[in-house]
């Protein structure tokens, strides 16, 4: 059942994914550029709608296309670029993280989720999972609000999703489901499904690629 669900999700994602700028860069041949692009997008997407982030992301990458470029920027420039996105500490941590990678890690991004969490400021379990699975193809799951909703419905988990027991349960499910090949595409398919089909209200169950697996 897991293999069938994985295949259904990845196939659906290939055919239906939204055309988002960071997805193009996440396939870049330079592994550090891939990781940087995912990192910037995921930090911007915290607390902010995709439609809003696209413009900010494009401007950011145009001004600072690499980690090294961002590391050279002043905090004032970063705050100015971030203006309007809110939660300015996100931009400051990105800037601080870029400087740390350049100055302390020889411009090489940490290569797995565990190291990303340990070494980069503002990178928690979800962001580390996103960077490592999408940019490095590490077999690690991730859990955000969209994934929680999808998993809750797939397995009718009715509980307070903020409790530690629930969080552990969702992460266990996510890590069990993610395939060894194409983990990044699978993780993005789960987030994409929650954002576009398995929405909070009026989900489009009739067009869901994993309807047959869904207990809800």
């Amino acid at each position: 059942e897991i293999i069938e669900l994985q295949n259904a999700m990845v196939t659906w994602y290939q055919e239906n994914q939204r055309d988002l700028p960071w997805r193009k860069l996440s396939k870049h041949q330079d592994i550090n550029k891939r990781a940087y692009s995912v990192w910037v997008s995921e930090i911007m997407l915290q607390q902010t709608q995709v439609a809003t982030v696209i413009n900010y992301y494009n401007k950011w990458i145009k001004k600072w296309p690499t980690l090294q470029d961002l590391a050279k920027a002043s905090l004032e420039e970063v705050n100015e670029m971030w203006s309007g996105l809110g939660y300015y500490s996100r931009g400051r941590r990105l800037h601080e993280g870029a400087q740390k990678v350049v100055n302390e890690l020889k411009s090489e991004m940490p290569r797995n989720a565990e190291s990303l969490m340990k070494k980069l400021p503002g990178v928690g379990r979800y962001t580390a999972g996103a960077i490592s699975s999408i940019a490095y193809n590490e077999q690690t799951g991730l859990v955000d609000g969209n994934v929680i909703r999808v998993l809750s419905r797939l397995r009718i988990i009715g509980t307070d999703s903020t409790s530690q027991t629930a969080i552990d349960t969702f992460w266990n499910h996510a890590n069990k489901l993610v395939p060894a090949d194409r983990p990044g595409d699978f993780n993005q398919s789960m987030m994409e499904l929650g954002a576009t089909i398995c929405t909070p209200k009026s989900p489009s169950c009739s067009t869901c690629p994993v309807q047959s697996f869904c207990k809800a």
Side-chain angles (χ1 to χ4, degrees), residues 1-2 5 148-158 169-170 173 177 210-216:
E1 185 183 37
I2 287 176
L5 182 139
I148 285 172
R149 187 165 57 258
V150 170
L151 290 175
S152 291
R153 288 170 174 167
L154 279 172
R155 284 297 175 261
I156 47 175
I157 301 169
T169 298
F170 290 125
H173 275 302
L177 288 176
V210 288
Q211 185 189 18
S212 62
F213 305 98
C214 185
K215 293 184 178 296

Side-chain angles (χ1 to χ4, degrees), residues 15-187:
E15 295 169 357
N16 297 278
Q17 62 179 286
R18 290 169 292 176
D19 182 19
L20 301 174
W22 46 87
R23 288 183 174 159
K24 294 186 185 81
L25 281 175
S26 71
K27 306 292 186 187
H28 198 280
Q29 60 183 8
D30 183 330
I31 195 167
N32 284 300
K33 195 149 190 171
R34 289 205 303 265
Y36 173 61
S37 72
V38 178
W39 184 18
V40 172
S41 68
E42 290 298 341
I43 296 298
M44 285 187 172
L45 286 164
Q46 291 171 8
Q47 320 282 341
T48 310
Q49 297 284 336
V50 169
T52 303
V53 167
I54 290 172
N55 192 38
Y56 278 91
Y57 178 84
N58 285 334
K59 286 181 180 175
W60 182 284
I61 292 296
K62 187 176 180 181
K63 188 172 180 68
W64 301 306
T66 67
L67 274 164
Q68 290 87 342
D69 294 318
L70 177 57
K72 290 175 194 166
S74 68
L75 185 55
E76 289 73 25
E77 287 177 298
V78 170
N79 285 336
E80 185 181 343
M81 183 67 76
W82 203 269
S83 179
L85 266 178
Y87 302 96
Y88 281 79
S89 60
R90 293 181 295 163
R92 288 197 297 272
R93 284 197 295 264
L94 256 177
H95 183 231
E96 183 187 336
Q99 290 181 324
K100 185 173 183 182
V101 172
V102 170
N103 298 328
E104 299 177 25
L105 304 176
K106 300 179 181 176
S107 294
E108 293 290 326
M109 287 278 288
R111 289 289 191 263
N112 56 57
E114 189 177 346
S115 297
L116 286 160
M117 277 194 291
K118 281 182 183 173
K119 295 179 179 178
L120 298 186
V123 172
R125 193 175 182 184
Y126 163 78
T127 307
I131 296 170
S132 63
S133 65
I134 297 168
Y136 305 146
N137 284 316
E138 183 182 4
Q139 187 183 10
T140 183
L142 51 78
V143 171
D144 71 348
N146 285 317
V147 174
I148 285 172
R149 187 165 57 258
V150 170
L151 290 175
S152 291
R153 288 170 174 167
L154 279 172
R155 284 297 175 261
I156 47 175
I157 301 169
T159 185
D160 172 13
S161 63
T162 62
S163 73
Q164 193 56 53
T165 302
I167 290 167
D168 291 343
T169 298
F170 290 125
W171 275 99
N172 285 338
H173 275 302
N175 284 324
K176 260 189 238 169
L177 288 176
V178 69
D181 61 319
R182 306 183 64 184
D185 282 350
F186 178 80
N187 283 337

